[in-house]
């Protein structure tokens, strides 16, 4: 079955760079149509999409955060990595990675990891 | 830029009742890319409906989706205790986005 799990620091300081890793199993990011996305959700608010990477290495970013985001993949390790620069308190959120198939929806999600930005 | 507006913000109903949740897009969108998710406290969103009306794997048939163009609806025919949660619609366009959510609470 498809599973995803996020890992990374629980606490980062303002201005630091956040690096999160999504380790997945049950599918291959080399399979046509497959994508892995990152979505975050501040406490008590709606989810916000951040970035997507596809089987063909195409990448998409949220227009409002594009300058701060980089998404990469290590297919040999079944991992997708998201980096976000210049973190601030407003970036405090639970960060999720999720699987998609042919851009229809995010059908499998990780459990999420809470990242707090504070000095 | 498309905006998804969900209504109502909070819906208070009793188990056994019918729930109707609305998602309105600021411009016409392709039904193929409209999804609905359920989220319980402390958990990740769970896909319920994709393509506006197709149930995801394992989703009970009391959940149904409909709509086209700018107006979409999630209907829960008879509420079970486990259905009281927050529901989000999502458009999977070039920049996927979510609505602000509807909280379904027990009356």
């Amino acid at each position: 079955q498809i599973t995803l799990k996020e890992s990374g620091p629980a606490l980062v300081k303002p201005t630091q760079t956040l690096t999160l890793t999504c380790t997945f199993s049950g599918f291959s990011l080399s399979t046509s149509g497959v994508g892995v996305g990152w979505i975050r959700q501040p406490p008590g608010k709606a989810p916000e999409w951040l970035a997507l990477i596809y089987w063909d290495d195409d990448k998409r970013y949220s227009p409002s955060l594009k300058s701060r985001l980089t998404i990469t993949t290590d297919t040999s390790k079944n991992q997708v990595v998201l980096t976000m620069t210049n973190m601030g308190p407003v970036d405090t959120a639970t960060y999720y990675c999720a699987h998609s198939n042919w851009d229809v929806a995010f059908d499998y999600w990780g459990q999420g990891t809470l990242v707090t930005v504070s000095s | 830029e498309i905006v998804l507006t969900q209504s109502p913000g909070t819906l208070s109903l009793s188990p056994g009742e019918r729930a109707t949740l609305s998602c309105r897009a600021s411009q016409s969108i392709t039904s193929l890319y409209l999804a609905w998710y359920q989220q319980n406290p402390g958990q990740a969103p769970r896909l319920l409906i994709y393509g506006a009306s197709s149930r995801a794997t394992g989703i009970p048939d009391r959940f149904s989706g409909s709509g086209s163009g700018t107006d979409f609806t999630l209907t829960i025919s008879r509420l079970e205790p486990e259905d009281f949660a927050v529901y989000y619609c999502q458009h999977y366009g070039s920049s996927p986005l979510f609505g602000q959510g509807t909280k379904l609470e027990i009356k």
Side-chain angles (χ1 to χ4, degrees), chain A residues 8-113:
Chain A
L11 179 66
V12 298
K13 290 180 168 42
T15 75
Q16 285 187 334
T17 294
L18 171 68
T19 299
L20 294 172
T21 300
C22 175
T23 303
F24 58 84
S25 64
F27 67 94
S28 171
L29 199 41
S30 301
T31 300
S32 294
V34 171
V36 173
W38 284 95
I39 303 102
R40 71 178 179 181
Q41 186 172 29
K45 295 188 177 181
E48 176 188 19
W49 169 72
L50 302 176
L52 267 161
I53 190 164
Y54 292 91
W55 83 99
D56 59 359
D57 207 38
D58 187 24
K59 299 165 187 175
R60 280 197 257 155
Y61 297 99
S62 165
S64 62
L65 293 167
K66 183 174 183 177
S67 64
R68 299 173 54 203
L69 296 172
T70 303
I71 190 169
T72 59
T73 182
D74 184 337
T75 52
S76 64
K77 294 183 179 179
N78 281 358
Q79 292 181 331
V80 172
V81 177
L82 180 76
T83 61
M84 179 181 290
T85 61
N86 194 25
M87 294 290 286
V90 297
D91 297 312
T92 293
T94 297
Y95 287 74
Y96 297 98
C97 62
H99 168 278
S100 73
N101 202 21
W102 291 111
D103 273 355
V104 172
F106 293 114
D107 50 3
Y108 297 92
W109 294 61
Q111 64 190 24
T113 185

Side-chain angles (χ1 to χ4, degrees), chain B residues 23-58:
Chain B
C23 176
R24 177 163 289 178
S26 57
Q27 58 187 274
S28 184
I29 61 176
T30 305
S31 298
L32 176 62
Y33 299 126
L34 194 285
W36 289 91
Y37 300 83
Q38 177 193 66
Q39 188 175 34
N40 287 295
Q43 296 184 16
R46 177 175 72 143
L47 177 65
L48 298 174
I49 301 288
Y50 65 93
S53 60
S54 297
R55 275 187 299 276
T57 303

